[in-house]
Amino acid sequence: MANDWWKSAVVYQIYPRSFQDSNGDGVGDLQGIRSRLDHLEWLGVDVLWLSPIYASPHADNGYDISDYEAIDPAFGTLEDFDELLADVHARGMKLVMDLVVNHTSDEHPWFVEARSSVDSPKRDWYWWRPPREGFAAGQSGAEPTNWRAFFSGSTWELDPASGEYYLHLFHVKQPDLNWENPEVRSAVYAMMNRWLDRGVDGFRMDVINLISKVLPLGDGEPLPGGLGNGFPLYANGPRVHEFLQEMHREVFAGRDAELLTVGETPGVTTDHAVMFTDPDRAEVDMVFQFDHVDVDHGPLGKFDTQPLDLVRLKAILDRWQVALAERGWNSLYWNNHDQPRVVSRFGDDRDHWAASAKALGAVLHLQRGTPYVYQGEEIGMTNAGFTSIDQYQDIEVHGAWDELRAIGVPDERILAGMAHVSRDNARTPVQWDASEHAGFTTGTPWLPATPNHTWLNAAAQREDPDSVAAFYRRLIALRHELPVIAHGTFEMLLPEDPQVFAYRRELDGAVLTVVANLSGDGVAVDVEDPAAEVLVANLPDPVIGADLRPWEVRATLTA
Ligand code: NOJ
């Protein structure tokens, strides 16, 4: 068990663009991160995960990489990076990099070379296909498969010079690498090894379960609007476990270091998750599943937002707890740079802001799994409150706007969905203090700070022992202190209750019971042990067995 240190660890995600600017250009950077390490050490997190900082044209804010070995000038230099890494290590924390290797940028030299000629030695590093049989290049319907891209439109882009199409599951500027080609795999492993040799402590692997496609590439089930669903033909594909085992052998095996690997795996099933994370199979330490954050998506997709069905949310999380109870490991998250702010999404950011932020934090952090805190979540940051399409920067929003309007969805409905779940909600600057631009920059921020930073900010909360931040700090410390939180069993209680989220954890005679009222109305609960002690609670004077007040959470321990 020596190398499962991450079971009692908490990871903090930094989205560098929005974390802290040090040079007044309105974009966060590495020196900015260095200047805020005090906050992270105070919070007590173990690992920092940096969203991509590599050279990039920023079509998708760095998830389109043009040089895996260089730092983007917007974020700083390799020297800045080494300084940051040294500081993080000196404070007893680890640093995990984002690894985006399902695709590169179309400006990566590999793709530039691949595109230059059908005879290029790198041509086969990407997915090139002629037009569909019977169609001319560029003709409507000539795309080699009918797949819809994540950011709208076809996954295929015509290269007029060669008359062939290349595959991009995401944006047109994110061509997919061909993992069938062993040279691609060796190049990726060599790059990963260089980062580990430089001292980084692991990787968060972007959409890593999409790297193996079903061959030959074929059409998916038709979707409304003419395109098809290719997802079953490239998610959890036939060689994905083989590739990850090979990566493990080539990169991680034999390294005598405490590393962390987490695979981002949209559409992963519990069976595949066990396979990805069973230590005996040597693939990755844990995965990010999406079922619980897809819970409010509607028939027309994520922007067709539905009210939260708490019973369903609990059933999803329970299913994941049960499936990975014996083998494998869960990641726990509400937030990241792709998800809206949880206090606005599942909590009540108007009437019960602090209580609901804390209650949601507690029900997540006390489960079995490794919790991830996304920057600003620890102070209860809220959604951005955008009301017009022009306020959004995210390519996903703009693709969806055109697509949903084209099928007749009214603007107000689309905007309501976007206000609720768009990714820009997560990307507004971290609210450090009450000053202009929330202390994020002295220049003009690339995305404006949310106006509530005047009262909702880290500086105010660090002073206040009852703040959301103080509560998160306590949750993080508890995971370090209590083995029942890191290692105990999990049993969902009251699964059909539409207001209460309750569960029990047990280890070696210690019993932890968590009861939370995720609603604005009081409710009775009768699952606590009267002989237990209150370990953590979010409202004053908690009484074991008493009705739960609006958004009240109590965690009680029987030793
Ligand atoms: C998942 C990342 O989290 C997201 O931000 C990005 O747009 C896609 N992968 C494509 O890299």
Side-chain angles (χ1 to χ4, degrees):
M1 301 296 271
N3 56 4
D4 65 357
W5 60 273
W6 30 260
K7 288 190 176 173
S8 52
V10 177
V11 183
Y12 186 96
Q13 183 192 353
I14 293 179
Y15 193 66
R17 261 185 110 68
S18 309
F19 191 69
Q20 177 65 54
D21 178 19
S22 74
N23 62 359
D25 66 356
V27 174
D29 49 43
L30 297 178
Q31 291 297 346
I33 298 172
R34 270 186 89 202
S35 73
R36 294 292 186 185
L37 292 178
D38 263 350
H39 175 70
L40 304 174
E41 194 179 357
W42 172 84
L43 196 58
V45 294
D46 305 273
V47 181
L48 309 182
W49 147 29
L50 286 191
S51 274
I53 52 169
Y54 315 94
S56 165
H58 290 279
D60 187 20
N61 286 359
Y63 283 89
D64 48 320
I65 297 170
S66 54
D67 185 348
Y68 290 108
E69 320 247 355
I71 305 295
D72 194 277
F75 298 130
T77 63
L78 271 172
E79 289 70 44
D80 294 329
F81 177 80
D82 288 337
E83 286 174 14
L84 171 64
L85 184 61
D87 281 5
V88 169
H89 285 164
R91 289 171 187 262
M93 296 183 283
K94 295 179 186 292
L95 191 88
V96 161
M97 299 288 271
D98 219 304
L99 180 81
V100 189
V101 290
N102 173 71
H103 44 269
T104 66
S105 163
D106 65 337
E107 297 181 33
H108 194 292
W110 296 344
F111 186 77
V112 172
E113 193 176 325
R115 183 183 231 167
S116 67
S117 146
V118 290
D119 301 319
S120 155
K122 293 246 173 7
R123 187 74 171 180
D124 183 53
W125 283 38
Y126 295 85
W127 296 92
W128 294 95
R129 290 291 184 274
R132 190 183 285 270
E133 222 179 301
F135 286 77
Q139 197 183 338
S140 158
E143 292 79 15
T145 70
N146 65 354
W147 302 351
R148 177 189 181 276
F150 284 96
F151 298 146
S152 311
S154 167
T155 56
W156 294 96
E157 179 72 8
L158 177 65
D159 169 45
S162 64
E164 290 190 333
Y165 290 80
Y166 69 84
L167 177 70
H168 60 91
L169 296 184
F170 292 88
H171 192 255
V172 58
K173 286 186 68 65
Q174 293 169 301
D176 278 49
L177 281 166
N178 175 14
W179 275 70
E180 298 290 327
N181 185 323
E183 291 176 15
V184 168
R185 306 204 299 273
S186 318
V188 167
Y189 305 152
M191 172 270 285
M192 293 171 74
N193 273 310
R194 283 190 286 272
W195 280 107
L196 290 175
D197 293 344
R198 199 169 194 108
V200 309
D201 303 291
F203 298 96
R204 173 271 186 186
M205 304 178 186
D206 193 70
V207 293
I208 202 66
N209 65 329
L210 309 188
I211 58 178
S212 163
K213 281 76 172 164
V214 173
L215 298 177
L217 305 183
D219 284 339
E221 291 294 321
L223 292 168
L227 292 167
N229 177 17
F231 195 78
L233 303 174
Y234 55 71
N236 313 310
R239 297 185 71 190
V240 68
H241 295 286
E242 175 198 332
F243 292 158
L244 286 180
Q245 287 172 7
E246 180 184 71
M247 176 193 283
H248 194 280
R249 278 196 308 278
E250 299 294 322
V251 179
F252 301 105
R255 282 187 184 266
D256 183 22
E258 289 188 337
L259 303 177
L260 181 146
T261 55
V262 50
E264 188 207 26
T265 50
V268 70
T269 61
T270 51
D271 287 347
H272 273 290
V274 171
M275 291 169 77
F276 283 125
T277 63
D278 177 351
D280 291 342
R281 294 174 54 89
E283 296 185 21
V284 292
D285 297 330
M286 60 191 97
V287 291
F288 291 124
Q289 60 84 19
F290 282 67
D291 293 343
H292 69 302
V293 289
D294 291 349
V295 68
D296 55 3
H297 294 185
L300 295 178
K302 67 184 272 187
F303 298 115
D304 183 17
T305 314
Q306 308 295 311
L308 173 64
D309 176 344
L310 182 63
V311 171
R312 207 167 137 228
L313 177 70
K314 290 191 295 182
I316 292 169
L317 291 168
D318 186 25
R319 187 163 55 79
W320 277 92
Q321 289 285 315
V322 169
L324 276 69
E326 301 297 327
R327 278 182 305 136
W329 194 248
N330 273 316
S331 303
L332 305 170
Y333 73 98
W334 292 131
N335 275 126
N336 61 39
H337 64 292
D338 294 330
Q339 300 295 332
R341 295 290 181 178
V342 70
V343 67
S344 302
R345 185 187 203 175
F346 298 149
D348 178 347
D349 65 6
R350 227 186 42 186
D351 297 328
H352 299 281
W353 163 73
S356 66
K358 293 174 186 175
L360 288 162
V363 296
L364 188 82
H365 277 246
L366 300 175
Q367 289 181 46
R368 184 179 165 86
T370 297
Y372 285 68
V373 179
Y374 175 68
Q375 63 183 38
E377 180 181 349
E378 78 280 16
I379 56 170
M381 276 179 61
T382 63
N383 275 352
F386 293 165
T387 51
S388 132
I389 188 68
D390 310 326
Q391 290 172 287
Y392 291 96
Q393 299 234 1
D394 185 15
I395 44 174
E396 181 185 55
V397 159
H398 290 282
W401 175 252
D402 294 341
E403 209 169 60
L404 292 168
R405 290 181 110 199
I407 58 168
V409 183
D411 288 1
E412 314 77 70
R413 212 175 121 201
I414 310 176
L415 286 171
M418 289 174 171
H420 204 62
V421 296
S422 82
R423 307 195 298 179
D424 280 340
N425 285 308
R427 300 177 180 186
T428 58
V430 171
Q431 296 171 197
W432 294 108
D433 60 39
S435 69
E436 202 188 7
H437 310 311
F440 164 69
T441 184
T442 54
T444 306
W446 72 278
L447 200 59
T450 303
N452 61 18
H453 73 267
T454 50
W455 60 268
L456 194 175
N457 62 64
Q461 293 195 27
R462 290 273 297 270
E463 304 282 300
D464 173 4
D466 287 329
S467 66
V468 177
F471 190 85
Y472 263 78
R473 184 172 186 241
R474 171 106 173 105
L475 292 174
I476 293 163
L478 284 174
R479 174 163 294 263
H480 296 149
E481 287 160 20
L482 291 181
V484 66
I485 296 176
H487 303 286
T489 58
F490 176 95
E491 182 196 356
M492 186 67 86
L493 306 172
L494 310 172
E496 299 302 326
D497 193 303
Q499 285 169 267
V500 175
F501 197 135
Y503 54 86
R504 183 169 293 141
R505 311 280 319 275
E506 288 194 48
L507 185 77
D508 300 334
V511 181
L512 173 76
T513 307
V514 179
V515 293
N517 177 5
L518 299 192
S519 84
D521 300 311
V523 60
V525 276
D526 62 357
V527 295
E528 292 164 298
D529 174 2
E533 279 181 21
V534 176
L535 188 66
V536 60
N538 67 340
L539 296 182
D541 308 318
V543 176
I544 293 180
D547 286 5
L548 287 167
R549 293 163 279 179
W551 292 100
E552 178 167 13
V553 62
R554 291 192 292 264
T556 55
L557 184 68
T558 316

